[in-house]
Amino acid sequence: MKSLFSWLVLILSIALLVSGCSSSDDGESSASTTSDTGTSTTSLASTVIMELSASLSSSSNSRQARVSSRSTSKTLDQISLTSAQITLVVDAATAAVAAASLDSSEDLIQIMPKIIEGTQGKLATVGLSNSSETIKVINVIGNSLVKSISGRSDKLPSASAESGSTVTETVLSKITSTSVANLDEAGLSSADIGTASSELVETVVGSLGSGGISATEIGGALEKITAGAVDSLDQITGFSVSSLGDTIDNITSGATSALGDITVTGYTSDNLSTMVAKVTSGATSALGKIVMDGYTSADLTGMMEKVTAGATGALGNISMADYDATDLSGMMEKVTAGATGALGNISMTGYSSDNLSSMVEKVTAGATGAMGNITGMSTYNASYLTGMMEKVTSGATGALGNISMTDYDASDLSGMMENITAGATGALGNISMTGYSSDNLSSMVE
């Protein structure tokens, strides 16, 4: 069966390359070929792998591919895989699916992780020249699998949905988390994880429109994608707590940067502030799910600061019609609101409502200190900082009522408010920006 399955994938890949089209473009749930007896000999898994093979082949011959139809969206860089190497990678995907007895499955939620495990596991031995080349291939794999969801809602059974998630959120979370968890299997070192996870999350988020999701599904998808990426970091062999904070910063930065790449009917710049709240909310909620040697509740405040700093610093990377520096104050409000509101979702030994005041202090400190990291906006300058600072604190304050946690009630609010202000004020000295100096401090704290 495994040999037959491999031949089917090869035949279908050749047919696709000759025809120059992909079955996912026309919404078909699977491709089909016919044997001499007239019987269909294809499967959902073989079709998805065929589409992946075509994506890899196309990316090895073109420098122009993008994650979405937006002309400013993230470019999928040309990869250096030869046709022989692509065959090895595709065969590894086929073998992984067959080994899991999913070659006849009609469930994409089960199939997708196995394809990722097979392909990324093979990248370490196919002869890629360096980690940058490996990351480029991982991006193409992620983009291809997200595109393969389009038109296949019937292949996302409700029985496979994770608790509290829709089937669409589940499959996107699975694609992201499995890919991040297998970065080491692809031959990447601990030093590469931050860049690789940021690139991957940016690719998956930017590809959402190509995956056929609706505007109303984007927020939930973003929350689960960032949560899945953060939660899976503990599965990377050799990855330590010392690298965790910077990588979380990279993950929220990657997700935020990609918000302008999403092309979905009904999704505009008016939705950006809501979406960035989902980015920080998802990352925050996942902090308690990380299980690593040396990682304790004492590390949470440092991680919290990185969640908001990463999202804030990437706000200038968003390229979208009608989005400019005048929108930044509203974005800052949602960066801190999303993170603050999710503090009650953290479940971890040693973490209780007693920690909330120190956590919310880091929410505002991270966002404030990163305001000088915003680049790429020609009209953004130090004159915007005062208004943004006000929204940093109001966003966190407004979200205090969204926290649901044992022993947390209205009597805690005064202390929380004090720490919200202290975190933001204390981080003013971390802002590095042309035109901003100690002369500005009095106006910033008014």
Side-chain angles (χ1 to χ4, degrees):
M1 173 61 75
K2 177 179 173 182
S3 175
L4 175 60
F5 189 53
S6 298
W7 275 108
L8 286 172
V9 170
L10 180 59
I11 292 169
L12 288 169
S13 298
I14 293 171
L16 182 70
L17 290 174
V18 170
S19 65
C21 63
S22 169
S23 65
S24 64
D25 290 337
D26 59 22
E28 292 296 325
S29 63
S30 65
S32 63
T33 57
T34 306
S35 67
D36 292 339
T37 60
T39 352
S40 176
T41 57
T42 60
S43 70
L44 177 62
S46 65
T47 303
V48 173
I49 294 173
M50 169 195 71
E51 291 165 357
L52 172 58
S53 177
S55 293
L56 291 170
S57 297
S58 175
S59 295
S60 69
N61 296 310
S62 170
R63 300 177 185 271
Q64 304 301 319
R66 293 186 180 274
V67 297
S68 77
S69 60
R70 289 190 191 275
S71 61
T72 55
S73 67
K74 174 183 171 68
T75 301
L76 290 171
D77 294 327
Q78 183 178 25
I79 61 176
S80 59
L81 289 179
T82 65
S83 58
Q85 289 172 318
I86 290 173
T87 298
L88 291 173
V89 171
V90 169
D91 284 351
T94 301
V97 170
S101 301
L102 294 171
D103 31 346
S104 298
S105 173
E106 293 290 299
D107 184 351
L108 282 175
I109 295 173
Q110 301 298 321
I111 292 170
M112 295 291 199
K114 293 304 173 183
I115 292 176
I116 293 169
E117 290 172 8
T119 53
Q120 288 190 201
K122 194 63 179 177
L123 294 182
T125 59
V126 295
L128 289 165
S129 59
N130 54 53
S131 60
S132 295
E133 293 301 319
T134 301
I135 293 171
K136 290 177 186 178
V137 177
I138 291 171
N139 284 332
V140 173
I141 293 170
N143 172 257
S144 180
L145 294 185
V146 173
K147 289 193 298 183
S148 289
I149 299 170
S150 182
R152 295 188 172 118
S153 59
D154 60 321
K155 307 304 179 185
L156 301 172
S158 58
S160 293
E162 294 179 334
S163 177
S165 299
T166 66
V167 290
T168 301
E169 292 166 359
T170 299
V171 72
L172 289 167
S173 174
K174 291 277 190 183
I175 289 172
T176 309
S177 61
T178 307
S179 187
V180 171
N182 284 273
L183 290 175
D184 56 324
E185 300 296 331
L188 297 177
S189 69
S190 295
D192 302 314
I193 300 303
T195 299
S197 57
S198 177
E199 289 266 353
L200 172 68
V201 169
E202 185 177 357
T203 296
V204 172
V205 171
S207 303
L208 288 178
S210 301
I213 74 171
S214 67
T216 58
E217 294 177 300
I218 297 174
L222 281 169
E223 195 165 29
K224 300 303 180 181
I225 288 168
T226 52
V230 171
D231 181 23
S232 60
L233 291 172
D234 57 4
Q235 298 177 48
I236 302 172
T237 302
F239 188 69
S240 67
V241 176
S242 62
S243 302
L244 192 55
D246 287 342
T247 302
I248 290 173
D249 182 307
N250 289 337
I251 287 171
T252 57
S253 173
T256 302
S257 297
L259 293 179
D261 293 347
I262 303 170
T263 307
V264 173
T265 301
Y267 175 72
T268 70
S269 60
D270 293 338
N271 306 113
L272 288 176
S273 59
T274 301
M275 297 308 155
V276 79
K278 294 296 186 179
V279 169
T280 57
S281 172
T284 300
S285 298
L287 292 178
K289 297 179 180 179
I290 300 170
V291 180
M292 297 174 71
D293 289 340
Y295 179 65
T296 70
S297 59
D299 296 299
L300 287 175
T301 52
M303 302 304 139
M304 198 67 252
E305 188 170 11
K306 294 295 187 178
V307 167
T308 54
T312 299
L315 293 176
N317 298 336
I318 301 171
S319 179
M320 199 170 183
D322 299 323
Y323 173 71
D324 56 35
T326 62
D327 297 300
L328 289 177
S329 59
M331 296 292 280
M332 294 300 301
E333 182 175 22
K334 293 298 185 178
V335 165
T336 57
T340 301
L343 291 175
N345 298 337
I346 301 172
S347 178
M348 187 175 184
T349 301
Y351 176 71
S352 69
S353 60
D354 295 336
N355 305 109
L356 287 177
S357 59
S358 60
M359 291 288 279
V360 79
E361 180 176 345
K362 292 300 184 180
V363 167
T364 56
T368 300
M371 290 194 296
N373 298 338
I374 300 173
T375 59
M377 286 183 153
S378 59
T379 59
Y380 177 58
N381 56 55
S383 68
Y384 286 93
L385 293 177
T386 302
M388 292 166 66
M389 178 71 173
E390 181 181 353
K391 292 299 185 178
V392 165
T393 54
S394 66
T397 301
L400 291 177
N402 297 334
I403 301 173
S404 178
M405 201 168 182
T406 303
D407 297 326
Y408 171 69
D409 55 36
S411 65
D412 298 300
L413 291 180
S414 59
M416 297 282 280
M417 294 284 293
E418 182 178 346
N419 280 40
I420 284 172
T421 304
T425 304
L428 290 175
N430 298 334
I431 301 173
S432 177
M433 188 175 182
T434 301
Y436 174 75
S437 68
S438 58
D439 295 338
N440 305 105
L441 292 178
S442 59
S443 63
M444 294 285 282
V445 297
E446 287 179 353

